[in-house]
Amino acid sequence: MERTSRTGALVTALTCCALLVAACGADETPQETAVGEDVDNPGEAADEAADPDPEDAVDADDAEVTVEHVQGETTVETEPEVVVTFDVGTLDTLDAMGVPVAGVPEVANVPAHLEEYAGGETSIVGSLFEPDPEEVNALDPDLIIVGGRSSEAFGELSELAPTVDLTVDNTDFLNSFGEQLGVLGEIFDREEWVEERLAVLDERVGEVSALADDAGDGLIVMTSGGEVTAYGPGSRFGLIHKDLGVAPAVEDVEEATHGDAVSFEFILEAEPDHLFVLDRDAAIGETGEAAEAVLDNELVAQTPAWENGDVHYLDEVVWYLVPTGLRSVETMVDEIDAALR
Amino acid sequence: MPGARARAASRTRGVRRWHLVAGALVLAAAAGASLFVGVTDLGPRDLVVGDDREAMVFLASRVPRLVAILLAGASMSVAGLIMQHLARNRFVAPSTAGTVESAMLGVVVATLLFTGASLVVKMAIAVAFALAGTAIFLALLRRITFRDVILVPLVGLMFGGVIRALTTFVAYRVDLLQTLSSWTTGDFSGVLRGRYELLWLAAVVAVIAYTYADRFTMAGMGRDLSVSLGLAYERTVNVGLAIVATVTGVTVVVVGAVPFLGLIVPNLVTMALGDNLRRALPLTALSGAAFVLACDVIGRTIRFPYEMPVGTVVGVVGSAIFLLLITRGRHRAR
């Protein structure tokens, strides 16, 4: 009798554990995916540098520069020839600079102007989160760039070649972005070019902020799988509030950098004059319900933004996947400019 | 002697009625109160003197959400109770027998094959998968000679794990991982008028279950005994399967998976009322609805004005209750 009951207890405890594991599993999946957001972007291929810039090749005289970046200081050969970047934003910037890139990660959705890097010319050196050391090594790079989603690979990659982390700080987006651009300017000896582009950008930002002063407030939301999350000034889309000066319709969303799940009542009560919408399902190539369909309901219809036709669907690839490239930032500023006019 | 039995029976009936009435009253009160929990500031007075907007919020958001919660909670608990009879095991529920996982696989497949398919098509496919998955589980059970109380749900969990892995793999390959997460965590935040009505189907199915209650009770006594008592065993099991699969498929498509629900609510109720299904079903439905309602209200208020998915809250509260159940059960055994 005693024995049976003890076995019974043991067995019960075991099931209990198993059930807990099952339940936890169910709960954790979304969180894991939330942290690893956008991991799952199998993409396209590529290989050699598309248009080698003769100037860069000639000038390979082993001059070095020590640059400061997010994870310390790194000494890099100036105008490195073989460049691998795990940061798609940087790829965008390098492409704008005319610097050839030898290796990029596998990404599903790239902006149209970067498609050549996904089409077979450039080497694929792993995914955003998992670099493939062998592929990287095979290229024998002079410089590796990480940033954002790939910044955790810094340690592993810096053993292979000089590596810099150009992660942009979302809480101070434009300044941080300018600094990272400055680092690229130093390494590739394009300081003037960088300064010019930044000056132009600055001017545009000023123009948009002036518009924002009279445009009312705004709320940034993202839709995914039929559900809605709200983003504030401290978030990855904080540029809209902090740099471009659109007043946040809800002050305290600030706290959450990863977005807060909200109900449609929340949107109704926020009464935003502008609704900035990002369709994540579209951004990562999923076939979810379109943002338009999710937001098209009685509650959202009552907001000033909906009534005045001020619901702005942001370019999901630029805002969600490649927000830190030079041309991306320029596009983002243009989009908000158009939205506020 | 017969007198004593009759008295005992009438006492049980009295207990059952008392439970039901009390439960219904508590639930009604809680449901009424929950209608006034939300981001929009809305009190009972506003419904009388309020403007169009307040009425709209009430009818388009509050009432649908409450109805969805009650329907999902009640029908999932009923499905769990039926499942426990069919498998003759207290630890078998849609979430521990691969049913929920199969339904999710169905949704992924539906999304894949019919891009932009309507909710009804997705649901039909989810139900079909849930049906197939549960049938496979029951077939597996029949092959197991050592049908230990614990072994059965463990087999179910492993089976569910395999299907979940398959689902995740498919979703990963086709970039659906993110969307998958919105089905794996039950969430009522998107429920609005016009977006939850399919849940009524689950409720209808749960009501049908009531008409089959006695047959399920009999089936729960085992195949041999029930056949010798004249029960069409196979057909009863199939009806039960269909009910469980439909309820699970519909709920997964509309709100997502709610863990523990089909497991703890039926157990709590049968602990109090015994294994007669006809007796236990109404209270199971009531308690399930009340449990989900409580968890959703917690989810709505804990980080106000933001939302915590009901699946997460149920996971936390449910596992605590489950542990309590198990430890208390052990004490009683000694």
Side-chain angles (χ1 to χ4, degrees):
Chain A
M1 198 62 200
E2 172 65 22
R3 216 180 126 182
T4 356
S5 94
R6 204 179 300 150
T7 328
L10 180 69
V11 170
T12 320
L14 277 176
T15 335
C16 186
C17 291
L19 288 169
L20 266 181
V21 168
C24 294
D27 285 349
E28 263 161 29
T29 328
Q31 280 161 18
E32 266 166 41
T33 32
V35 174
E37 259 166 349
D38 353 307
V39 203
D40 27 325
N41 284 319
E44 292 92 291
D47 114 54
E48 277 305 272
D51 60 311
D53 192 329
E55 272 177 12
D56 288 4
V58 174
D59 224 301
D61 55 355
D62 286 23
E64 287 184 341
V65 60
T66 302
V67 292
E68 265 185 62
H69 55 90
V70 180
Q71 299 196 41
E73 284 185 358
T74 301
T75 304
V76 192
E77 155 189 339
T78 47
E79 298 183 60
E81 278 173 55
V82 184
V83 180
V84 168
T85 177
F86 281 92
D87 183 44
V88 188
T90 306
L91 175 67
D92 177 51
T93 308
L94 292 179
D95 184 67
M97 279 182 172
V99 169
V101 175
V104 297
E106 191 178 16
V107 187
N109 280 357
V110 291
H113 64 271
L114 294 178
E115 249 163 31
E116 56 177 293
Y117 296 96
E121 293 276 296
T122 318
S123 292
I124 297 299
V125 287
S127 75
L128 276 174
F129 293 89
E130 272 181 274
D132 183 338
E134 286 186 27
E135 290 289 335
V136 175
N137 237 344
L139 290 172
D140 190 19
D142 301 316
L143 171 68
I144 302 174
I145 300 167
V146 296
R149 296 168 181 115
S150 58
S151 66
E152 280 183 21
F154 178 82
E156 184 188 346
L157 289 169
S158 52
E159 284 171 19
L160 303 175
T163 305
V164 295
D165 181 351
L166 299 186
T167 302
V168 173
D169 179 5
N170 276 328
T171 56
D172 189 15
F173 187 86
L174 273 188
N175 282 332
S176 176
F177 170 74
E179 277 170 30
Q180 312 302 28
L181 209 59
V183 173
L184 288 176
E186 262 184 87
I187 296 175
F188 293 97
D189 200 16
R190 299 287 175 89
E191 276 116 327
E192 262 179 50
W193 183 89
V194 165
E195 266 168 41
E196 279 167 28
R197 291 290 280 252
L198 278 179
V200 174
L201 185 65
D202 241 22
E203 204 176 302
R204 292 283 295 129
V205 169
E207 288 169 22
V208 179
S209 318
L211 280 176
D213 287 342
D214 311 314
D217 56 15
L219 180 68
I220 312 167
V221 296
M222 181 157 82
T223 65
S224 177
E227 281 149 24
V228 184
T229 39
Y231 288 79
S235 73
R236 62 205 293 175
F237 310 122
L239 163 81
I240 295 176
H241 296 310
K242 282 200 163 168
D243 294 308
L244 299 177
V246 176
V250 179
E251 283 295 341
D252 58 359
V253 198
E254 197 169 3
E255 306 268 315
T257 50
H258 279 277
D260 264 316
V262 295
S263 56
F264 295 110
E265 274 184 36
F266 179 90
I267 302 177
L268 172 70
E269 287 307 311
E271 298 193 314
D273 296 313
H274 293 271
L275 202 50
F276 300 99
V277 185
L278 199 108
D279 188 336
R280 189 176 69 173
D281 292 340
I284 51 185
E286 290 190 355
T287 43
E289 203 179 349
E292 283 93 332
V294 174
L295 292 177
D296 186 8
N297 61 58
E298 295 168 82
L299 275 71
V300 176
Q302 301 266 319
T303 59
W306 190 276
E307 283 174 347
N308 304 328
D310 280 322
V311 179
H312 315 290
Y313 298 94
L314 304 174
D315 181 326
E316 60 272 354
V317 173
V318 166
W319 285 85
Y320 192 69
L321 289 181
V322 200
T324 57
L326 176 59
R327 279 175 301 198
S328 300
V329 175
E330 288 168 352
T331 309
M332 286 150 76
V333 173
D334 287 345
E335 273 193 44
I336 303 304
D337 181 274
L340 299 180
R341 271 177 203 281
Chain B
M1 231 42 205
R5 201 179 297 156
R7 223 176 305 132
S10 90
R11 200 188 312 133
T12 335
R13 215 174 298 133
V15 167
R16 172 164 53 121
R17 250 184 231 135
W18 180 84
H19 269 102
L20 265 185
V21 171
L25 283 178
V26 170
L27 181 60
S34 82
L35 285 173
F36 302 101
V37 177
V39 180
T40 303
D41 196 7
L42 187 67
R45 251 190 93 239
D46 296 317
L47 289 183
V48 188
V49 297
D51 53 20
D52 286 352
R53 183 168 131 156
E54 276 151 350
M56 187 274 293
V57 168
F58 190 75
L59 293 176
S61 169
R62 299 290 169 85
V63 174
R65 185 164 185 156
L66 174 65
V67 174
I69 289 166
L70 299 182
L71 293 180
S75 57
M76 275 308 276
S77 306
V78 166
L81 184 59
I82 294 174
M83 197 85 179
Q84 284 165 23
H85 274 80
L86 292 186
R88 302 184 61 199
N89 190 304
R90 287 199 177 289
F91 297 111
V92 172
S95 52
T96 59
T99 311
V100 171
E101 285 82 359
S102 307
M104 278 181 212
L105 179 61
V107 184
V108 170
V109 169
T111 312
L112 251 182
L113 294 184
F114 312 93
T115 317
S118 72
L119 223 49
V120 180
V121 174
K122 267 189 197 166
M123 215 181 61
I125 297 175
V127 169
F129 271 74
L131 200 59
T134 319
I136 292 174
F137 170 71
L138 289 183
L140 270 177
L141 275 196
R142 251 170 251 149
R143 265 153 227 256
I144 296 172
T145 38
F146 180 63
R147 292 189 65 173
D148 186 87
V149 166
I150 295 311
L151 190 70
V152 171
L154 280 183
V155 169
L157 287 175
M158 281 187 270
F159 176 61
V162 171
I163 298 199
R164 182 186 290 275
L166 183 66
T167 311
T168 312
F169 177 74
V170 174
Y172 177 78
R173 295 303 296 179
V174 299
D175 281 331
L176 269 174
L177 221 47
Q178 310 271 313
T179 311
L180 183 66
S181 72
S182 69
W183 300 317
T184 45
T185 314
D187 190 356
F188 290 100
S189 68
V191 170
L192 283 181
R193 177 156 68 187
R195 294 191 181 174
Y196 77 97
E197 281 78 357
L198 285 170
L199 276 176
W200 282 105
L201 189 62
V204 169
V205 170
V207 169
I208 294 175
Y210 190 69
T211 65
Y212 265 78
D214 292 334
R215 274 170 275 187
F216 290 139
T217 308
M218 247 206 263
M221 293 189 272
R223 186 202 165 93
D224 297 341
L225 185 57
S226 52
V227 167
S228 70
L229 286 171
L231 178 75
Y233 182 78
E234 300 297 336
R235 197 199 301 156
T236 309
V237 168
N238 289 339
V239 169
L241 264 181
I243 289 172
V244 170
T246 309
V247 168
T248 309
V250 172
T251 337
V252 164
V253 168
V254 180
V255 292
V258 184
F260 281 114
L261 188 55
L263 193 64
I264 53 172
V265 173
N267 268 306
L268 283 173
V269 172
T270 42
M271 262 170 75
L273 296 188
D275 275 335
N276 184 330
L277 210 62
R278 185 174 294 282
R279 192 177 300 162
L281 266 180
L283 192 63
T284 306
L286 264 182
S287 321
F291 181 59
V292 175
L293 179 65
C295 288
D296 189 63
V297 169
I298 294 175
R300 267 186 273 174
T301 44
I302 202 164
R303 290 200 60 216
F304 190 82
Y306 309 106
E307 301 243 348
M308 197 83 142
V310 74
T312 310
V313 181
V314 171
V316 173
V317 178
S319 52
I321 294 182
F322 191 70
L323 283 174
L324 208 70
L325 259 181
I326 283 183
T327 44
R328 277 202 53 205
R330 206 180 63 188
H331 275 300
R332 195 174 295 172
R334 286 200 178 148

